[in-house]
Amino acid sequence: MPSKGYTAQEYPKHPFLLSSAEVIDHLQTHDETGISPDKAQEAQKTYGPNKLIGEGGVKWYSILLKQVSNAMILVLVLAMALSYGVTDYIEGGVITAVIVLNVAIGFYQEFQAEKKMDSLRALSSPSAAVLRDGHIETIPSGEVVPGDIVQIKTGDTVPADLRLIEAMNLECDEKILTGEAVPVAKDLKVDFSANNEFETGIGDRLNMAYSSSTVTKGRGKGVVVFTGMYTEIGRIAASMQGKQRKPNRSLSRIKHGPMQPAKGILLRIWDGIGEFLGLTVGTPLQKKLSKLAYVLFGCALLLAIIVFGVNKFNVTNEVAIYAISTGIAIIPESLVAVLTITMVVGMTQMRKRRVVIRQLSALEALGGVTNICSDKTGTLTLGRMITRKAWLPGVGLYSVNNAEEAADPTKGHVSLGPAPDFSKDQKDNEKKAFDRDAPAVSWDMSTEKKAMTGKEERMTPTSTDSTEAPDVTTELQEFLQSTALCNLATVRHDKEKNEWQAIGDPTEIALQVFAHRFQLGKKTLVEEHGWTQLGEYPFDSSIKRMSVIYRKGAKGDAYIFCKGAVERIIDLCTSIGTGSDQRTVTAEVKEEVLEQMNRLAQQGLRVMAIAQRQYNTYDGQIEIPREDIEKDLTLLGLAGLYDPPRLETKDAVRECATAGIKVHMLTGDHPSTAEAIAKEVGIIPTNRASLPHSVATSLVKAASEFDAMTDDEIDALPTLPLVIARCAPSTKTRMIAALHRRRAFCAMTGDGVNDAPSLQAADVGIAMGLAGSDVAKGASDIVLTDDNFASIVNAIEEGRRMFDNIQKFILHLLTSNVAEVILLIVGLGFQDEAGFSVFPLSPLQILWINMLTSSFPAFGLGREKASYDIMRRAPHKSKHGVFTGQVIVDMIVYGTIMGTCTLLTFVIIVYGPGNANLGIDCNRYYSESCNTVFRARAAVFAELTWLILVSAWEFKNLRRSMFSLDPERTDGARFPFFKDIYENHFLFYAVVIGAVSVFPAVYIPGLNIQVFKHIGIGWEWGLSFGSVLVFVAGVEAWKACKRRFGWFAVGGVEEGSERKLGLRQGFISFSRAVSMRKSESELDRDVVLQAGGEKV
């Protein structure tokens, strides 16, 4: 049945009984362009969101229960009960109101925060690659609508029920629906038109892919036919997110022995108590603060016992009230609420910087990252490749010049020149050119060009400037056939928009566009030349190649077309070239191929080998083992693809170096390609000759060499490799283990199914939002929505900012509690004529200060911007968390100064002009004898309020003076204090309004005497104002001591062992991006030297 307000999703017959054309026609969509964004929005309104009823969501009652079970609330409940018990109904009523207000505000804030976090988490839920107006868009699965054309591949979670229109070796795990563990192989050739919907089971509908099933093999494309509750998973109202019990919670006697039921019940009760108290749920920091709350609760009880002990356990009403005061004083009532809201702000800021947080613990972990292991393609680079070179043995070197658009085969022109030969002198010249030291800021440009390009000027023909493409020879045709058919990308021209559109992997798009330049694209070969696909062996990252089987014509020969890493393909080849130029592969021939590959790779090109093989015996009925297909191949040539680094990558790498973070490139590319790009973005120095030999040789390694090393050999390296080429998924896992043995805290990027183990092993797993599989996203902690390396650096900066701010507001809240406890414990010595202790602050004064005065500045500190040096200091030690030695000592020092100032104010007023008159029963009632005590309380109340508020400004930076927070400001201000404090508007107004609120609290009749137990004052204001100056002077003096003597200084990046080795990422490198995008003839004016990011 349709959900309320939404239209039912109905068809003449079930979609699996209809042809794909009938389904597409019914939904008014198109298999090549999909639907328009406007139509998608309309369908969203018509059919509703693609989610199950009751899926996810925020449970209000669990949040309310969490608020009530808060340790701070429990202390207030005890205080309320004691107040009513001693018949102080005014105080009891106020505390009751405070409890209700605190729970209500906390519930509202956390409910809104959880809803916000829920919506942000939804962004990292399984996504869908849909066709909208001819472009592939990655959207959350919840936004998929009937009529969308969806592409699925290995590792994806099917976002909705699909009627498949393409399938190649497609298998789906549908055990969630059928209970069968064996994946279902999809087959579009099966005709179900004569079947009945109820006679054909779900697992037998081979032209359908079902929502929440997982693609285990192959790829496919389908049209969405059912979403939400209309899917098969929706019809049985099942969710993929079932709650898993912890180990040893089973009640089964049979499986775990006779004692298991009792053990299971006790553990479940313990889990329930822990969850109720917040000790076993949430992030590590949330659990740590929950534990802190209950430790403080225990301290509150201990202080109450101390109060009772001082009064010889003669627990009168007055003694009970004093115990209430000390209990309330030690509890930071707003701590948990401030943390929750700070985390929501952090997640929101991350989202603005194109990072989606899946695990809240990642917010805390990001600031401690010391090493980033990143992929190259699409992360450090743009991921928009162009085929720049193509070497065909016996023919020569094809070059593509002036091509700026990756998807447009009509832009740029192709030239053919002779392939270079490789004499010893040539190799030496090239090596010197690529190892040239960047600080040489002046040279003859034409000479530099010759050094970089060797003999290329002499071998490039004068026809380079011609716009006519070379003739399509037999050798070129076979090369293009293989590149176009062993390819999943599609390239098409949209006549309405007059633009070229490409869909698929950037590598395959580049090869497909190159074939289109000669009018031999895949669509032309299939529709006009009669090629038919028979089989496919998808790309496998462990063997780094892909193969397809095609037949030309109905009875023609079958051919195997293969592409992949040169080293992997050449070993499978028995011959090279075609026609009269065909040669048998010998050691010399193989060396020639590898030399050509190295030349292309040294130019920063990703080199792919293209091969084929005639295979007459293939009938397409049985699946032949891959090793029997991929052998006896003929190498047709090499393709050199250029993927320019992102413009922001080098700055991001430099920023990481400044922040004490090492960047490692783990890529599937050839070592020379990886090294060239790594130099270009500043990951490795351009001149390794200046480094110690042991360091220079360890910077770049092939995965085969790294994997062959033992753990001891890896640990003996002076530095771990900054570049690992031809990287396999297992190599990433070993790299993480090696980093962990060096006590590094690492982040790892990944996008494929095989990357899941390394993402889980890393301290922070980072999945790609655009190119990543759902399996990778599910194993990750954060997801990049733009797949950009710079976004990782942004996330780390945001993580550090949030970590700093949490430290600031924790210090702010706990400092005031330390001051209040000092004031009240010492205050036990102020005894009146009846022998009862007179409290310097009443319980409601403390509540007012803790809940209203402290809370809002704490919220403001949680919103502080990043400090000027946040990315210039070493990562914080993750094992210490926010409670570092500096925070703990600062809390004691500042709390002592604050408590001492307020205590002295009370003493001066009472024992100075007041002649030590503490009155009678001044804890409960006002009388003429209590005038001095009430005036002293008012002064202490005002003073403590102002000290806490001013401390919020002081804690904007834990080391810098409040009067010079940013020593690098460029506005020329001589006294930037007012500009600095006004920068955070929320904090500024929280402090100002809190400071002004003191006056009505002191002077409003009834409120002052009956509620707060104080009275209006006069000359005493001078003591309160003066103490603020004394407090600021004390804090500034302590900060100056920390700076002067280096106490609690955060380790700088200069202190690391990597700096001693001479490594400094991101500061010196050649920029060849511009030259690679231009024609070879433009190198003279486009060679640019960058030193420290500046053009010289």
Side-chain angles (χ1 to χ4, degrees):
M1 292 182 65
S3 300
K4 186 176 180 180
Y6 296 123
T7 303
Q9 300 173 22
E10 297 175 340
Y11 298 85
K13 293 191 290 185
H14 194 285
F16 87 91
L17 301 172
L18 302 172
S19 69
S20 59
E22 289 174 319
V23 175
I24 289 171
D25 184 63
H26 177 82
L27 291 169
Q28 297 180 347
T29 185
H30 193 279
D31 62 338
E32 287 191 354
T33 60
I35 58 177
S36 67
D38 291 339
K39 188 173 180 181
Q41 287 186 358
E42 184 182 335
Q44 187 82 256
K45 295 176 183 176
T46 303
Y47 300 113
N50 178 34
K51 65 180 183 179
L52 304 178
I53 293 176
E55 184 179 43
V58 181
K59 299 178 178 63
W60 64 268
Y61 50 85
S62 64
I63 294 176
L64 182 61
L65 191 63
K66 183 179 175 183
Q67 292 296 320
V68 174
S69 63
N70 192 316
M72 290 67 168
I73 296 298
L74 295 181
V75 171
L76 292 178
V77 168
L78 287 177
M80 176 189 70
L82 281 171
S83 296
Y84 286 130
V86 298
T87 67
D88 191 339
Y89 297 112
I90 293 178
E91 190 165 290
V94 172
I95 295 178
T96 303
V98 167
I99 292 173
V100 172
L101 188 64
N102 195 44
V103 169
I105 293 174
F107 170 77
Y108 174 78
Q109 289 173 332
E110 191 155 350
F111 185 68
Q112 294 298 321
E114 289 291 342
K115 283 172 62 178
K116 182 73 173 176
M117 281 193 274
D118 203 48
S119 64
L120 290 171
R121 287 190 197 102
L123 295 173
S124 65
S125 64
S127 55
V130 301
L131 264 174
R132 298 269 173 93
D133 266 353
H135 296 279
I136 282 290
E137 294 183 11
T138 302
I139 63 173
S141 296
E143 296 178 12
V144 168
V145 296
D148 264 326
I149 304 297
V150 176
Q151 292 186 346
I152 53 177
K153 62 183 183 304
T154 303
D156 285 352
T157 299
V158 181
D161 285 2
L162 309 179
R163 171 60 168 90
L164 295 170
I165 53 181
E166 286 182 16
M168 180 53 61
N169 295 338
L170 182 63
E171 294 185 7
C172 297
D173 182 354
E174 298 177 352
K175 63 175 175 284
I176 190 171
L177 292 170
T178 64
E180 296 293 332
V182 180
V184 178
K186 301 301 178 180
D187 188 354
L188 302 186
K189 298 177 182 177
V190 180
D191 184 10
F192 292 103
S193 58
N195 293 39
N196 182 287
E197 177 182 350
F198 303 103
E199 293 175 352
T200 308
I202 292 173
D204 297 325
R205 300 172 185 177
L206 303 183
N207 57 10
M208 294 286 294
Y210 291 103
S211 174
S212 298
S213 63
T214 305
V215 180
T216 58
K217 182 181 177 183
R219 59 182 175 84
K221 184 165 77 171
V223 56
V224 175
V225 290
F226 294 119
T227 60
M229 296 304 290
Y230 284 93
T231 61
E232 290 298 332
I233 194 73
R235 291 184 182 185
I236 60 175
S239 172
M240 285 292 287
Q241 300 174 353
K243 188 173 181 180
Q244 300 294 321
R245 285 201 181 276
K246 295 180 182 179
N248 298 321
R249 269 62 176 177
S250 171
L251 301 182
S252 173
R253 227 185 237 103
I254 299 173
K255 289 183 179 180
H256 304 285
M259 296 300 294
Q260 184 59 36
K263 182 179 178 182
I265 288 174
L266 288 174
L267 288 174
R268 288 188 186 186
I269 293 172
W270 172 254
D271 289 342
I273 294 172
E275 187 171 349
F276 177 79
L277 298 177
L279 298 175
T280 58
V281 293
T283 72
L285 179 58
Q286 287 173 324
K287 287 188 274 191
K288 189 176 290 186
L289 290 182
S290 293
K291 291 175 183 176
L292 171 66
Y294 287 102
V295 168
L296 294 178
F297 177 68
C299 292
L301 295 179
L302 180 62
L303 289 176
I305 293 172
I306 291 173
V307 172
F308 295 151
V310 169
N311 289 275
K312 301 177 181 179
F313 290 95
N314 180 21
V315 184
T316 61
N317 292 354
E318 289 75 12
V319 173
I321 292 172
Y322 204 99
I324 292 170
S325 299
T326 54
I328 292 174
I330 200 171
I331 299 294
E333 284 81 2
S334 56
L335 181 59
V336 175
V338 175
L339 176 67
T340 302
I341 291 181
T342 301
M343 285 191 161
V344 174
V345 172
M347 288 184 71
T348 306
Q349 291 299 318
M350 292 275 195
R351 179 68 187 94
K352 290 178 181 177
R353 305 185 82 170
R354 295 177 172 79
V355 177
V356 176
I357 302 296
R358 293 192 70 257
Q359 304 291 339
L360 273 178
S361 56
L363 279 172
E364 306 158 26
L366 278 167
V369 168
T370 60
N371 296 71
I372 303 174
C373 299
S374 174
D375 191 12
K376 177 183 78 69
T377 303
T379 306
L380 293 168
T381 61
L382 287 171
R384 294 199 293 270
M385 297 189 183
I386 297 176
T387 303
R388 290 292 188 193
K389 305 283 184 181
W391 173 74
L392 274 61
V395 177
L397 187 69
Y398 290 87
S399 300
V400 179
N401 301 312
N402 296 328
E404 301 291 341
E405 297 294 331
D408 191 346
T410 64
K411 296 292 178 66
H413 57 272
V414 184
S415 62
L416 172 62
D421 58 345
F422 291 92
S423 65
K424 184 177 184 300
D425 291 341
Q426 172 76 6
K427 297 175 190 175
D428 291 342
N429 287 339
E430 288 184 352
K431 185 177 187 302
K432 290 176 184 176
F434 279 93
D435 283 342
R436 182 179 297 276
D437 193 357
V441 296
S442 175
W443 65 83
D444 177 31
M445 286 297 180
S446 60
T447 304
E448 180 65 14
K449 172 184 171 181
K450 291 173 184 176
M452 291 171 63
T453 60
K455 296 181 180 178
E456 193 166 295
E457 284 188 9
R458 295 196 296 274
M459 67 189 177
T460 302
T462 55
S463 61
T464 301
D465 295 330
S466 172
T467 57
E468 295 182 6
D471 294 334
V472 179
T473 62
T474 303
E475 294 86 353
L476 179 59
Q477 182 172 352
E478 293 196 7
F479 179 85
L480 296 174
Q481 276 179 182
S482 190
T483 59
L485 295 176
C486 186
N487 198 310
L488 306 182
T490 58
V491 177
R492 61 182 293 273
H493 184 258
D494 190 319
K495 295 181 180 178
E496 293 182 5
K497 298 182 178 180
N498 192 30
E499 67 176 21
W500 285 88
Q501 299 174 342
I503 300 170
D505 179 80
T507 302
E508 299 194 322
I509 289 174
L511 294 171
Q512 194 67 254
V513 169
F514 186 70
H516 272 72
R517 293 182 184 278
F518 299 89
Q519 288 74 50
L520 286 174
K522 185 176 183 178
K523 188 173 183 180
T524 302
L525 292 173
V526 171
E527 295 180 355
E528 299 179 14
H529 293 229
W531 288 96
T532 304
Q533 187 169 0
L534 304 177
E536 178 178 308
Y537 295 81
F539 178 81
D540 187 330
S541 59
S542 61
I543 59 175
K544 302 194 181 306
R545 60 180 179 266
M546 168 192 177
S547 299
V548 294
I549 305 173
Y550 271 81
R551 173 177 284 130
K552 188 172 185 179
K555 298 181 180 179
D557 293 334
Y559 282 84
I560 297 165
F561 300 116
C562 185
K563 73 171 186 291
V566 179
E567 307 95 315
R568 302 300 179 96
I569 298 294
I570 191 66
D571 289 338
L572 303 174
C573 294
T574 56
S575 60
I576 175 175
T578 58
S580 59
D581 293 318
Q582 190 172 63
R583 293 177 288 166
T584 302
V585 173
T586 62
E588 291 77 14
V589 170
K590 185 180 289 188
E591 179 68 20
E592 178 189 343
V593 173
L594 294 177
E595 290 285 6
Q596 295 288 351
M597 175 196 69
N598 285 331
R599 176 175 176 79
L600 296 175
Q602 285 171 350
Q603 298 175 52
L605 301 180
R606 184 178 194 179
V607 187
M608 306 287 291
I610 311 297
Q612 72 173 22
R613 170 193 175 195
Q614 192 171 351
Y615 194 65
N616 298 327
T617 58
Y618 186 77
D619 59 7
Q621 299 301 312
I622 59 173
E623 185 171 336
I624 301 172
R626 187 164 194 157
E627 57 269 20
D628 293 337
I629 291 292
E630 296 172 336
K631 66 179 184 178
D632 301 331
L633 300 174
T634 297
L635 183 70
L636 300 176
L638 306 179
L641 286 60
Y642 183 62
D643 183 13
R646 295 177 184 268
L647 296 177
E648 60 270 31
T649 295
K650 185 174 179 179
D651 287 337
V653 172
R654 184 188 300 111
E655 193 170 5
C656 285
T658 309
I661 301 169
K662 274 293 170 195
V663 180
H664 304 260
M665 178 198 290
L666 277 62
T667 176
D669 281 342
H670 183 271
S672 295
T673 305
E675 183 175 351
I677 297 297
K679 285 180 179 179
E680 190 170 337
V681 300
I683 290 178
I684 60 176
T686 54
N687 182 21
R688 286 194 278 164
S690 61
L691 299 175
H693 178 72
S694 59
V695 176
T697 55
S698 65
L699 291 186
V700 181
K701 288 191 178 295
S704 56
E705 182 184 357
F706 184 77
D707 290 338
M709 299 173 72
T710 64
D711 288 348
D712 290 338
E713 289 172 334
I714 292 174
D715 293 342
L717 292 173
T719 180
L720 287 175
L722 298 179
V723 176
I724 299 183
R726 295 302 191 213
C727 188
S730 58
T731 312
K732 293 185 175 183
T733 309
R734 285 206 74 193
M735 184 65 170
I736 292 170
L739 286 166
H740 283 163
R741 289 196 299 274
R742 296 187 181 217
R743 301 187 183 280
F745 197 80
C746 58
M748 171 69 75
T749 67
D751 52 13
V753 177
N754 294 335
D755 289 330
S758 60
L759 290 174
Q760 289 180 324
D763 299 293
V764 180
I766 304 171
M768 302 296 110
L770 298 177
S773 66
D774 288 332
V775 172
K777 293 176 188 175
S780 68
D781 300 301
I782 68 175
V783 178
L784 305 183
T785 60
D786 60 354
D787 293 6
N788 191 339
F789 178 80
S791 296
I792 302 175
V793 182
N794 291 339
I796 290 174
E797 181 182 347
E798 187 61 32
R800 290 189 176 192
R801 184 195 70 85
M802 199 193 74
F803 181 88
D804 283 358
N805 290 350
I806 290 174
Q807 281 192 321
K808 291 171 189 175
F809 72 66
I810 286 178
L811 177 61
H812 176 258
L813 292 172
L814 295 184
T815 294
S816 62
N817 293 129
V818 170
E820 290 164 7
V821 169
I822 290 174
L823 182 62
L824 292 174
I825 291 300
V826 176
L828 287 170
F830 303 138
Q831 296 186 342
D832 61 14
E833 296 176 10
F836 293 115
S837 297
V838 177
F839 44 65
L841 281 177
S842 70
L844 295 185
Q845 282 179 318
I846 295 170
L847 272 180
W848 177 277
I849 292 171
N850 285 2
M851 301 210 51
L852 295 179
T853 307
S854 295
S855 299
F856 292 105
F859 287 130
L861 286 172
R863 300 163 68 95
E864 271 289 290
K865 72 168 190 176
S867 64
Y868 73 96
D869 63 343
I870 197 163
M871 293 298 282
R872 290 193 226 154
R873 57 180 189 243
H876 63 256
K877 296 284 192 287
S878 299
K879 65 178 182 179
H880 293 157
V882 294
F883 293 100
T884 60
Q886 178 172 221
V887 169
I888 294 171
V889 174
D890 282 356
M891 177 183 69
I892 296 171
V893 171
Y894 299 147
T896 302
I897 296 173
M898 193 180 291
T900 303
C901 286
T902 52
L903 191 62
L904 287 174
T905 297
F906 189 84
V907 169
I908 289 171
I909 295 172
V910 172
Y911 291 92
N915 296 319
N917 182 13
L918 292 170
I920 299 174
D921 202 13
C922 296
N923 288 348
R924 300 183 66 185
Y925 307 107
Y926 174 76
S927 63
E928 194 62 34
S929 65
C930 293
N931 187 64
T932 300
V933 171
F934 271 51
R935 294 175 71 87
R937 275 196 202 128
V940 169
F941 169 74
E943 178 182 326
L944 185 58
T945 299
W946 289 339
L947 294 185
I948 291 172
L949 292 172
V950 169
S951 72
W953 282 342
E954 282 283 6
F955 298 160
K956 282 166 71 73
N957 192 300
L958 302 189
R959 302 186 67 81
R960 295 290 308 173
S961 168
M962 175 174 67
F963 303 103
S964 180
L965 293 173
D966 184 359
E968 298 179 359
R969 62 169 53 257
T970 57
D971 56 8
R974 292 181 175 230
F975 190 68
F977 170 71
F978 295 106
K979 186 170 184 177
D980 285 339
I981 63 171
Y982 187 68
E983 199 168 33
N984 185 338
H985 296 341
F986 188 96
L987 178 59
F988 177 81
Y989 287 112
V991 172
V992 171
I993 293 172
V996 172
S997 69
V998 167
F999 297 101
V1002 170
Y1003 286 112
I1004 293 177
L1007 179 66
N1008 54 4
I1009 295 176
Q1010 299 297 324
V1011 176
F1012 290 127
K1013 305 292 192 295
H1014 63 216
I1015 198 169
I1017 55 178
W1019 65 269
E1020 293 88 353
W1021 286 112
L1023 290 175
S1024 299
F1025 281 119
S1027 295
V1028 172
L1029 299 178
V1030 172
F1031 175 75
V1032 170
V1035 174
E1036 290 294 327
W1038 175 248
K1039 285 185 176 181
C1041 288
K1042 289 197 293 184
R1043 294 194 300 272
R1044 173 67 179 82
F1045 300 108
W1047 297 339
F1048 311 112
V1050 179
V1053 298
E1054 304 293 330
E1055 299 171 7
S1057 60
E1058 303 293 351
R1059 180 63 173 167
K1060 295 175 184 177
L1061 294 172
L1063 301 179
R1064 193 73 166 140
Q1065 291 186 325
F1067 286 88
I1068 300 175
S1069 71
F1070 277 106
S1071 175
R1072 292 173 53 84
V1074 178
S1075 63
M1076 289 305 302
R1077 293 177 192 173
K1078 306 287 185 177
S1079 65
E1080 302 297 333
S1081 62
E1082 295 176 290
L1083 277 173
D1084 275 336
R1085 67 173 183 267
D1086 282 343
V1087 172
V1088 177
L1089 180 67
Q1090 289 184 334
E1094 299 296 329
K1095 293 184 180 179
V1096 180

